[in-house]
Amino acid sequence: MKIDLQLNGRPEDAAARAKELVALGADGLFTFEGAHDVFVPLVAASGAVQTDLMTNVAIALPRSPLHLAHVANDLQSLSRGRFRLGLGSQVRPHIERRYGTEWSRPAARMRESVLAVKAIFTAWEERSPLDFVGEFTRHTFMPPTFDPGPNPYGRPEICLGALGPLMTRAAAEVADGLLVMPFNSARHFRERTMPAIEEGLALGERTQSDLAIYPQVLVGVGRTPDELDAAERGVRSLLGFYASTPAYRPVLEVDGWEDVQPELNSLARNREFDAMRDLIDRDMMNAIAVVGTPEECAAKIIARFGGHADRVCCYFPGYPVVDQHIAEMISALEVDQ
């Protein structure tokens, strides 16, 4: 199983950190759209390492598909064909109040964004007229001055992050890959995600071979009691944040934890973050995240995702993870397969 690791930190540190992560055994690196731009660190990394690179995710709704196509095309060239464009929708408060753009029908808009970017790529690759007219965007003008022409490495893969059935169906219908959100239990994946994938593939008249599935997982890894305690606290803190959001309630419902969501939401409004973490018990933590020694984490990742995917994105949230433990976990994954 291939492992993608998050490339954190400031853009000026990206090249050095990328080298360190690849030395640990990472098969790919991905960026998150947080305090820094999601694309710039990958530009730095592309000249430093020869490994797969991905945005995980770039928020698509505030961006024009043409902007996304240009930056993805350039990163595909810089990385010599090793770039994947991962897109996501974010939630309404962020889109309206942080990005200052319009929020409506996110699954429909994301579906159209993927199709529009694909249409732009096709026009460049085939040197054909650009003629995409959708419900939310239109692209019908591409003078030669603005046309980069065919990419020598082909067009990059487009992945769509999804949790709910509408977005998952959209991803399965039109995207090259599905990024399964990290707040996701094995039961939710089996009972909610897989049926939505099948419905989306049917809508697009596609087969499973047309869609790569990239699960994402929150990992708490350590060896000593102090390391494992810190890892658990970091994982549980992020789980509490996720679970406080109404959008993530369906995951809790599947396993019978839906009553925790409004309580967490109330605590979040009052900024009682320690109390939020304490509401995430061990059963919930172990159902959604992966926690343990490097060898235990590797075995749990294989058990949960080995039958569905050959590549997993790993996050180490909110605690000082030891790089050697990451390397040992990756080595254990190679042995366990």
Side-chain angles (χ1 to χ4, degrees), residues 167-242:
M167 196 70 75
T168 302
R169 279 199 296 269
E173 181 186 359
V174 301
D176 301 307
L178 167 67
L179 295 167
V180 181
M181 300 298 285
F183 192 85
N184 206 321
S185 67
R187 184 173 177 182
H188 182 272
F189 182 83
R190 181 177 65 252
E191 296 183 7
R192 301 283 181 91
T193 300
M194 287 305 299
I197 289 173
E198 293 169 3
E199 292 169 8
L201 291 174
L203 283 172
E205 298 182 345
R206 308 168 80 197
T207 66
Q208 185 61 68
S209 63
D210 296 315
L211 181 74
I213 297 177
Y214 300 122
Q216 304 177 76
V217 62
L218 305 177
V219 180
V221 64
R223 287 205 181 276
T224 69
D226 286 346
E227 288 173 347
L228 288 168
D229 181 66
E232 283 197 15
R233 289 171 65 85
V235 168
R236 288 165 62 194
S237 292
L238 185 56
L239 291 178
F241 170 76
Y242 274 131

Side-chain angles (χ1 to χ4, degrees), residues 287-310:
I288 298 173
V290 164
V291 178
T293 66
E295 294 76 20
E296 289 169 342
C297 288
K300 291 176 182 179
I301 289 171
I302 292 293
R304 186 180 300 185
F305 304 115
H308 304 287
D310 59 7

Side-chain angles (χ1 to χ4, degrees), residues 62 89-101 103 241:
S89 62
Q90 251 301 350
V91 295
R92 184 171 193 158
H94 285 266
I95 296 302
E96 292 185 340
R97 296 167 54 197
R98 186 159 68 95
Y99 288 99
T101 54
W103 169 271
F241 170 76

Side-chain angles (χ1 to χ4, degrees), residues 38-39 42 53-60 63 65 67-73 75-76 82-88 113-114 117-118 121 155-161 175-177 179:
V38 72
F39 293 105
L42 297 179
L53 304 172
M54 176 174 65
T55 54
N56 187 15
V57 290
I59 306 305
R63 292 182 168 98
H67 289 141
L68 293 169
H70 272 297
V71 70
N73 186 67
L75 275 165
Q76 179 77 335
R82 293 177 285 108
F83 178 68
R84 300 194 302 278
L85 177 64
L87 301 176
S113 290
V114 172
V117 174
K118 282 189 171 184
F121 284 155
R155 73 165 181 85
E157 184 177 316
I158 304 174
C159 303
L160 182 55
D176 301 307
L179 295 167

Side-chain angles (χ1 to χ4, degrees), residues 21 44 53 60 248 265 289 304 309:
L21 293 174
L53 304 172
Y248 293 98
N265 188 265
R304 186 180 300 185

Side-chain angles (χ1 to χ4, degrees), residues 220-335:
V221 64
R223 287 205 181 276
T224 69
D226 286 346
E227 288 173 347
L228 288 168
D229 181 66
E232 283 197 15
R233 289 171 65 85
V235 168
R236 288 165 62 194
S237 292
L238 185 56
L239 291 178
F241 170 76
Y242 274 131
S244 72
T245 307
Y248 293 98
R249 184 184 175 105
V251 177
L252 301 174
E253 289 174 345
V254 168
D255 287 285
W257 295 314
E258 63 271 19
D259 291 342
V260 177
Q261 192 277 320
E263 188 173 356
L264 285 166
N265 188 265
S266 177
L267 291 170
R269 288 197 300 270
N270 294 322
R271 303 181 66 82
E272 297 182 49
F273 301 122
D274 288 345
M276 291 173 65
R277 181 186 62 238
D278 293 341
L279 276 182
I280 307 299
D281 62 25
R282 285 274 176 84
D283 288 342
M284 189 186 301
M285 179 188 72
N286 288 321
I288 298 173
V290 164
V291 178
T293 66
E295 294 76 20
E296 289 169 342
C297 288
K300 291 176 182 179
I301 289 171
I302 292 293
R304 186 180 300 185
F305 304 115
H308 304 287
D310 59 7
R311 188 173 203 129
V312 173
C313 299
C314 292
Y315 299 82
F316 305 90
Y319 68 98
V321 62
V322 177
D323 278 359
Q324 184 60 32
H325 295 344
I326 299 176
E328 291 164 353
M329 185 187 77
I330 293 174
S331 295
L333 278 165
E334 294 173 351
V335 171

